[in-house]
Amino acid sequence: KQEVTQIPAALSVPEGENLVLNCSFTDSAIYNLQWFRQDPGKGLTSLLLIQSSQREQTSGRLNASLDKSSGRSTLYIAASQPGDSATYLCAVEEYNTDKLIFGTGTRLQVFP
Amino acid sequence: DGGITQSPKYLFRKEGQNVTLSCEQNLNHDAMYWYRQDPGQGLRLIYYSQIVNDFQKGDIAEGYSVSREKKESFPLTVTSAQKNPTAFYLCASTGAVDNEQFFGPGTRLTVL
């Protein structure tokens, strides 16, 4: 059974730092991996989608990488800002399922 | 604006009552999903539908029911059989191109 783990569970950093959030999954037979952001009491916002054939995706200050063989993905946030404070979730879609399996998230706080 | 809407934002229910949560999308997506989110836990899949007039149980379907009579709409009914219904409920949909999943703003259900 696929399991998705995110470490750390919480992270607090000063503004301007570059930081890395980690996501690991137990079964490498995935169709894609998606990173989301969730603000308190809100829905999820899609940040980046990496197909299984891709190694990374970039959007602005965000860069997500995927290493299927090791079952890992990282979300890199450059020059962090207080507005980046949120919970970040990763999710994998397995082949022929059309379903996402979510990690429990990393709660990020960026202080001025 | 294209997107997913959920209503109501907050919902209060007395024990023993059934309630229906609304989810509408104008993204022309075929697949739609209902998740439940509890504090400290990841998202758990309740039901999903890959096409009109068809739906499948997710991991925690007991005490819930759905219908998919129209492509745009996927309402979720929380029945009195659901023993612990207080939670944050999220609806999502997926396009056919790359399977990127998009979420609505959520409904917070509280049982009094």
Side-chain angles (χ1 to χ4, degrees):
Chain A
K1 180 183 176 183
Q2 178 77 265
E3 292 184 2
V4 181
T5 304
Q6 291 187 248
I7 295 174
L11 184 62
S12 184
V13 300
E15 182 177 7
E17 275 203 7
N18 301 325
L19 52 97
V20 174
L21 307 182
N22 296 295
C23 173
S24 61
F25 45 96
T26 54
D27 188 338
S28 62
I30 64 169
Y31 182 68
N32 63 43
L33 183 144
Q34 201 167 348
W35 281 95
F36 296 89
R37 167 185 173 137
Q38 186 177 29
D39 293 288
K42 305 292 186 182
L44 277 64
T45 299
S46 178
L47 297 174
L48 290 164
L49 172 74
I50 310 177
Q51 301 291 352
S52 61
S53 58
Q54 298 173 324
R55 297 282 292 184
E56 65 177 347
Q57 284 285 350
T58 298
S59 176
R61 294 183 294 109
L62 305 179
N63 175 276
S65 67
L66 175 64
D67 184 344
K68 275 181 45 178
S69 61
S70 66
R72 293 180 183 176
S73 176
T74 61
L75 179 66
Y76 176 82
I77 303 177
S80 59
Q81 302 171 358
D84 294 329
S85 299
T87 297
Y88 291 81
L89 298 113
C90 72
V92 299
E93 179 181 346
E94 296 180 311
Y95 281 103
N96 299 320
T97 66
D98 290 327
K99 297 187 292 183
L100 290 180
I101 300 169
F102 284 83
T104 53
T106 294
R107 190 172 68 253
L108 172 66
Q109 182 182 12
V110 181
F111 53 90
Chain B
D1 286 330
I4 304 173
T5 57
Q6 291 186 241
S7 62
K9 185 174 182 179
Y10 299 98
L11 186 56
F12 298 90
R13 189 195 92 173
K14 294 181 180 179
E15 286 193 15
Q17 285 183 336
N18 293 354
V19 290
T20 297
L21 283 59
S22 169
C23 177
E24 304 276 334
Q25 55 97 1
N26 61 4
L27 300 168
N28 199 32
H29 287 171
D30 286 315
M32 297 186 73
Y33 305 80
W34 274 105
Y35 296 91
R36 169 182 174 140
Q37 187 176 36
D38 295 281
Q41 297 191 35
L43 275 70
R44 293 184 289 169
L45 182 64
I46 304 172
Y47 268 98
Y48 65 107
S49 168
Q50 293 170 298
I51 198 168
V52 175
N53 292 323
D54 188 41
F55 49 83
Q56 290 80 40
K57 293 182 179 179
D59 300 318
I60 55 165
E62 185 175 353
Y64 300 98
S65 66
V66 294
S67 63
R68 187 82 188 278
E69 298 177 0
K70 298 187 299 181
K71 187 176 185 178
E72 302 80 16
S73 179
F74 191 40
L76 173 73
T77 297
V78 184
T79 75
S80 57
Q82 170 51 237
K83 297 307 179 187
N84 185 24
T86 295
F88 190 50
Y89 291 86
L90 289 158
C91 178
S93 69
T94 299
V97 175
D98 57 9
N99 280 19
E100 186 173 6
Q101 195 155 120
F102 295 91
F103 281 78
T107 292
R108 185 164 300 280
L109 172 63
T110 302
V111 174
L112 303 173

